[in-house]
Amino acid sequence: MSFWDYGNAFLLEAGRAGADVFKGDSASSEFRFPSYVQDIMGDIFSLGFGPFRWVCTSGEEKDLVETDRIATEIFESVLKNEVPPPVEQQYNDNLRWIKEAGSHQLVVGSQARILYSDQRGRIQLALAFNKAVSSGTLRGPVVVSRDHHDVSGTDSPFRETSNVYDGSAFCADMAVQNVIGDSFRGATWVALHNGGGVGWGEVINGGFGLVLDGSEDAGRRAKQMLAWDVSNGVARRSWSGNELANETIRQAMKEDDDLRVTLPFPVTWSPQ
């Protein structure tokens, strides 16, 4: 049996009501049944992938179509290089999504789009959007952001950080560090709030907005800030013992000479 337990903390509330759903006692963040967040999204976040968003401030559909084209081009370019199979799957899935997104006619108000990407993709997307604004290909600035349901932006022991098994899932340091780090690295605005997804007192969320106005400074800030915004969470997941996160942060350091992350040393212990 599996549960599609997304944002309503169904398994958690069932356990608090007395249902036998926890692996251990009620203080545990692990459940007997696999769930979407803990057993699928946890590893996707550890790969550095999560929902990346942008809004075309011109309000023109043509600009959104152009950003879709840019995103398609970038993802196809990434896939031409050798990437690990789990990463390749994520890029292929999201390449299909962005190619078909316009046909679904999902835009209701703002000319906005969302797709899952990792640090490499987010930075390339932001820099390409900024260049398109500068050249006049896009008629207005683009604002990039992300969901709080992401790699680094949320500390939630029964949701975003539910696959962090070293005992630190109940700490709220990552979201706070993420917001402060984003602000120092050039975010246009940041927000720190409580309760998103699972209710007040259960989660700390951190978010940002970054305006790409076509300037050289906007490109510099995008590169600095987006690298931190993703790597902060991947590093934390690596420290908790997640092997996918360990591999991801090692690759990030190879691609960015300025990134230095202390790597965990696994210790084998057995009771006497």
Side-chain angles (χ1 to χ4, degrees):
M1 181 182 294
S2 300
F3 282 89
W4 190 262
D5 189 0
Y6 179 63
N8 56 8
F10 177 85
L11 287 172
L12 172 62
E13 295 305 327
R16 286 173 172 171
D20 183 18
V21 296
F22 293 105
K23 275 190 177 179
D25 57 31
S26 59
S28 171
S29 64
E30 294 186 66
F31 299 100
R32 294 174 52 207
F33 308 104
S35 70
Y36 159 74
V37 175
Q38 189 166 49
D39 297 280
I40 298 177
M41 284 312 305
D43 281 343
I44 291 176
F45 290 153
S46 293
L47 289 170
F49 280 82
F52 184 65
R53 293 171 169 164
W54 63 87
V55 180
C56 300
T57 64
S58 67
E60 296 191 17
E61 184 180 357
K62 289 181 180 179
D63 275 4
L64 186 60
V65 171
E66 177 62 17
T67 59
D68 287 350
R69 187 198 65 77
I70 291 171
T72 297
E73 187 176 272
I74 287 173
F75 275 32
E76 287 176 339
S77 175
V78 169
L79 285 167
K80 289 178 181 177
N81 300 311
E82 186 175 347
V83 293
V87 174
E88 183 180 17
Q89 179 185 349
Q90 291 299 316
Y91 269 106
N92 275 320
D93 287 348
N94 284 279
L95 177 58
R96 177 182 177 184
W97 152 247
I98 200 64
K99 282 182 174 181
E100 299 178 2
S103 66
H104 296 299
Q105 300 181 349
L106 297 174
V107 173
V108 176
S110 302
Q111 294 295 322
R113 192 70 82 209
I114 185 169
L115 86 170
Y116 273 56
S117 183
D118 60 358
Q119 176 178 317
R120 178 196 295 123
R122 296 182 198 206
I123 291 174
Q124 290 188 28
L125 285 167
L127 294 178
F129 293 163
N130 195 55
K131 184 178 179 180
V133 173
S134 178
S135 68
T137 304
L138 296 176
R139 300 192 180 191
V142 174
V143 178
V144 296
S145 186
R146 55 157 170 74
D147 200 306
H148 67 256
H149 183 60
D150 195 42
V151 182
S152 309
T154 296
D155 285 293
S156 180
F158 300 101
R159 191 176 173 184
E160 282 78 7
T161 45
S162 60
N163 77 320
V164 174
Y165 299 122
D166 65 349
S168 68
F170 293 91
C171 300
D173 54 339
M174 181 174 69
V176 176
Q177 291 168 359
N178 219 61
V179 161
I180 301 305
D182 284 352
S183 69
F184 286 174
R185 288 165 176 80
T188 307
W189 65 82
V190 295
L192 187 67
H193 47 284
N194 186 302
V198 291
W200 284 11
E202 305 285 1
V203 56
I204 297 293
N205 308 117
F208 75 88
L210 176 62
V211 176
L212 302 173
D213 60 6
S215 66
E216 184 177 331
D217 182 59
R220 178 188 61 80
R221 289 186 287 113
K223 190 173 181 180
Q224 287 186 163
M225 198 222 74
L226 292 172
W228 164 261
D229 193 68
V230 177
S231 284
N232 177 46
V234 176
R236 190 266 179 92
R237 294 167 192 279
S238 171
W239 296 331
S240 76
N242 187 288
E243 188 55 38
L244 288 175
N246 193 296
E247 294 172 7
T248 301
I249 202 64
R250 287 175 184 271
Q251 183 60 35
M253 285 192 285
K254 289 180 182 178
E255 296 175 5
D256 184 354
D257 292 336
D258 293 328
L259 181 62
R260 295 286 187 274
V261 176
T262 302
L263 296 174
F265 291 89
V267 176
T268 301
W269 176 83
S270 59
Q272 298 296 323

